[in-house]
Amino acid sequence: MKSLKNEKGNCTPRRTFLKNLVLSCSSLFLPRLIFPQEKKNEAGSWMLENGYVPSEHNWGMGIDINKCIGCGRCVNACKTENNVPKVPFYFRTWVERYRIFEDRDSTVDSPNGAIDGFHEMKEDGKNVVRSFFVPKICNQCDNPPCVQVCPVGATFKTPDGVILVDADYCIGCRYCIQACPYGARYLNPETRTADKCTFCYHRVVKGLAPACVETCPTQARIFGEIDKKASPLIRFKRINKINVLKPFLNTEPKVMYANFDMEVK
Amino acid sequence: MKVLWKRIPEQLRRLSILVLLLIVLFVMIRTLLVPRDFGKYGHYRASAVDEIVSQSIHYAGREACEECHDDIAGVKSSGFHRNVACEVCHGPGAAHMEDPSGVQLTAPRERGYCPLCHEYLTSRPTGFPQIVSDLHNPMKPCIACHEPHDPKPPVTPKGCEACHAAIARTLSLSHHVYLPCTRCHQDPGSHKISPREFTPTKPTTREFCGECHARNDENTKGIPQIELVNHYSRYVCWQCHYPHLPEAQ
């Protein structure tokens, strides 16, 4: 124990050692004291300054399967608006083609998420009885399994019901990607963090529609308030029979489908 | 107080100091690692919302183009493309709005573009206007004949097959191939111009099919015939026979 001896040849008394330990530990706080964080920009201040009160809203989406023409303009717009890598496997929204055959067999395909639309398929001998397109997107569940599993609190539900990811805080552990029953999350290859649809939160709080809704040519996608009386979603729910994906999981999705086929998974 | 402290056994006293120290250390490390604004609104960093909200906008929105391009917006608003936003075809326009001559938008003039929406696909909803681009005037760009902001067929389509291609193709393979569409559907006159407003009639009764298929003295003998009164009389015929492909087996 040479190093601990002082010039008199004694060991550092335990008391002094502990005292120094406590002091040196507290010096870790120095940077915090010297550079107080976010003094100029109070956290969460954008909302306050711009008069958007999250708790007054509850956003949802309606998707009419009978209106979708599978052009994939939503997929393209989503990737452009949100800087999602324009390579396969990374989608915040995508479109699937269902084909149900005479023998009750069915196939689902989504070539590159349908960013370049679809091409007619050879029928390989079997007759198709029904076929249709199903746009998919994060369901912004009211009871989100992805938020529950996040070990650091990097994914969360805002008061207006949108599930967001804090890319700065995410540690890229992929738990949430595993937990999502809809396959709506992916690991962004550039930031190495979990990523997903935000309902275009940056647009919505400024009164704009999400990019996919904006570019849908047939109004197959409807966006609006779930709880308010004067909302396009209320009409959507009044004139259509509504279904959600995997209702038995009790995730309580806020993306509602009209003209839903029982084959849709 | 002091008495109480003294009455606690020595080893417990030392231990409690250690535990206290550990707690302090834990709290210190925690405050260091957990951002200050964590938990302000919920179990998350409040400023994360600010960061997400500050993401830049690329698509300016449906109404944004009107203020400068009101001529085109006006034409479009009454045409078939009224629900197709400008930015679907011209790409995201927020940067162009800031600096119209600096950031130019492109127009999709090539023939390959429009089939994204209009190429015939079995999966598309019936009634959506579709073409088979290999057969639909393949040598010319689409905009040679269709104004993209107000797309109308340059001439009113003559046959029903122009728009109901799938049905026409099915019918052409069936026993009913020689029946013109208008034998079963009466066009009120303007269906070809405003298809949704004026829809043709559809047969409503069993007797309609019976005009040819009922077993009686008037009907042509070559046509397969049934006893109209007891051939599954609870249903209308097209519940079992698809009228455009009415094979019996």
Side-chain angles (χ1 to χ4, degrees):
Chain A
M1 299 299 275
K2 237 201 178 111
S3 57
L4 287 175
K5 284 190 178 167
N6 61 14
E7 55 279 19
K8 281 187 203 142
N10 297 332
C11 279
T12 313
R14 185 180 290 131
R15 187 177 294 273
T16 322
F17 169 73
L18 288 177
K19 221 197 265 154
N20 288 344
L21 186 73
V22 169
L23 278 176
S24 53
C25 278
S26 32
S27 73
L28 285 173
F29 280 85
L30 266 177
R32 278 256 163 151
L33 294 171
I34 299 168
F35 312 105
Q37 262 187 345
E38 300 133 343
K39 258 282 160 56
K40 56 178 191 321
N41 201 356
E42 180 73 16
S45 61
W46 190 93
M47 309 275 181
L48 300 173
E49 281 161 22
N50 291 274
Y52 177 88
V53 184
S55 56
E56 285 177 1
H57 304 271
N58 190 15
W59 300 111
M61 188 181 283
I63 298 180
D64 188 343
I65 292 176
N66 271 5
K67 287 191 177 163
C68 178
I69 60 169
C71 63
R73 295 311 81 211
C74 48
V75 183
N76 185 55
C78 171
K79 285 209 173 191
T80 308
E81 179 71 24
N82 295 298
N83 311 311
V84 178
K86 288 230 173 155
V87 286
F89 319 121
Y90 309 112
F91 300 103
R92 290 184 175 201
T93 185
W94 67 99
V95 182
E96 293 172 353
R97 164 168 58 189
Y98 278 74
R99 301 193 314 148
I100 293 130
F101 300 98
E102 247 169 5
D103 54 3
R104 297 180 72 194
D105 225 11
S106 62
T107 61
V108 184
D109 71 323
S110 180
N112 196 358
I115 194 162
D116 302 312
F118 287 87
H119 293 282
E120 189 70 343
M121 270 180 145
K122 287 277 152 290
E123 301 301 2
D124 40 75
K126 281 201 275 185
N127 271 337
V128 176
V129 272
R130 288 199 302 283
S131 183
F132 47 86
F133 298 109
V134 182
K136 292 278 183 77
I137 190 170
C138 166
N139 283 281
Q140 311 288 358
C141 307
D142 222 16
N143 189 9
C146 54
V147 172
Q148 281 166 30
V149 301
C150 181
V152 296
T155 186
F156 54 96
K157 189 170 134 192
T158 57
D160 37 359
V162 182
I163 317 297
L164 297 176
V165 180
D166 180 349
D168 267 4
Y169 206 39
C170 172
I171 55 173
C173 72
R174 300 165 209 233
Y175 275 175
C176 55
I177 300 175
Q178 296 279 323
C180 175
Y182 306 105
R185 286 173 170 257
Y186 59 93
L187 198 80
N188 189 315
E190 279 154 20
T191 59
R192 313 292 303 162
T193 55
D195 211 347
K196 68 180 272 295
C197 161
T198 62
F199 263 175
C200 279
Y201 201 63
H202 61 295
R203 298 175 63 84
V204 170
V205 295
K206 293 161 199 160
L208 293 167
C212 57
V213 176
E214 185 61 45
T215 52
C216 180
T218 57
Q219 295 182 316
R221 292 179 187 249
I222 301 287
F223 184 78
E225 299 273 3
I226 292 181
D227 298 330
K228 293 197 178 154
K229 288 233 163 60
S231 152
L233 266 190
I234 301 300
R235 174 173 181 270
F236 185 81
K237 284 198 273 191
R238 185 173 65 236
I239 62 180
N240 293 305
K241 294 193 190 73
I242 299 296
N243 253 305
V244 295
L245 292 171
K246 305 188 181 170
F248 47 87
L249 294 177
N250 290 328
T251 50
E252 295 175 40
K254 288 200 286 290
V255 175
M256 295 162 259
Y257 286 89
N259 297 305
F260 193 83
D261 193 281
M262 67 167 184
E263 296 286 341
V264 178
K265 288 180 216 54
Chain B
M1 196 63 205
K2 210 151 197 179
V3 187
L4 206 71
W5 179 244
K6 281 276 155 60
R7 271 170 55 190
I8 298 174
E10 168 77 12
Q11 61 270 46
L12 268 192
R13 262 188 276 154
R14 282 161 182 256
L15 211 63
S16 65
I17 289 170
L18 194 70
V19 167
L20 209 73
L21 262 173
L22 280 177
I23 290 173
V24 168
L25 202 71
F26 171 79
V27 170
M28 270 158 57
I29 290 175
R30 207 191 110 88
T31 39
L32 257 189
L33 291 183
V34 175
R36 216 177 255 190
D37 53 345
F38 198 96
K40 188 170 170 194
Y41 299 119
H43 192 64
Y44 59 93
R45 222 161 48 90
S47 50
V49 178
D50 287 342
E51 284 157 31
I52 289 165
V53 163
S54 63
Q55 188 186 323
S56 60
I57 286 178
H58 294 91
Y59 286 87
R62 271 170 206 250
E63 294 81 22
C65 319
E66 283 172 24
E67 81 184 65
C68 303
H69 296 288
D70 52 340
D71 47 343
I72 290 177
V75 170
K76 193 171 85 71
S77 66
S78 57
F80 280 106
H81 276 169
R82 59 185 171 278
N83 286 331
V84 187
C86 315
E87 292 173 302
V88 175
C89 295
H90 291 294
H96 168 70
M97 284 185 57
E98 300 274 300
D99 179 10
S101 42
V103 183
Q104 298 256 335
L105 293 179
T106 53
R109 295 188 168 85
E110 70 280 9
R111 221 185 120 84
Y113 179 72
C114 317
L116 261 181
C117 293
H118 288 295
E119 186 71 64
Y120 172 75
L121 292 178
T122 21
S123 316
R124 291 210 159 124
T126 39
F128 186 80
Q130 296 160 64
I131 48 133
V132 176
S133 51
D134 287 347
L135 307 174
H136 187 80
N137 309 299
M139 305 316 284
K140 287 185 182 161
C142 314
I143 54 174
C145 301
H146 304 285
E147 155 63 44
H149 303 127
D150 183 18
K152 282 192 288 273
V155 291
T156 319
K158 285 186 203 67
C160 314
E161 71 279 4
C163 305
H164 299 290
I167 291 176
R169 187 141 23 107
T170 310
L171 192 69
S172 71
L173 304 172
S174 86
H175 286 300
H176 278 167
V177 58
Y178 293 113
L179 304 187
C181 310
T182 45
R183 176 66 182 78
C184 304
H185 302 289
Q186 269 81 49
D187 181 358
S190 324
H191 174 64
K192 289 186 201 164
I193 299 155
S194 308
R196 280 177 214 286
E197 262 170 77
F198 304 98
T199 47
T201 59
K202 288 190 284 191
T204 51
T205 61
R206 289 166 58 85
E207 283 69 32
F208 176 84
C209 307
E211 284 170 24
C212 296
H213 288 293
R215 186 161 295 141
N216 57 31
D217 299 334
E218 292 134 50
N219 279 343
T220 323
K221 287 290 166 270
I223 300 174
Q225 286 171 346
I226 44 118
E227 297 293 344
L228 196 57
V229 280
N230 54 18
H231 182 75
Y232 307 105
S233 53
R234 284 202 315 133
Y235 306 95
V236 286
C237 314
W238 41 94
Q239 270 168 309
C240 297
H241 304 289
Y242 183 44
H244 307 134
L245 190 67
E247 309 330 318
Q249 296 300 335

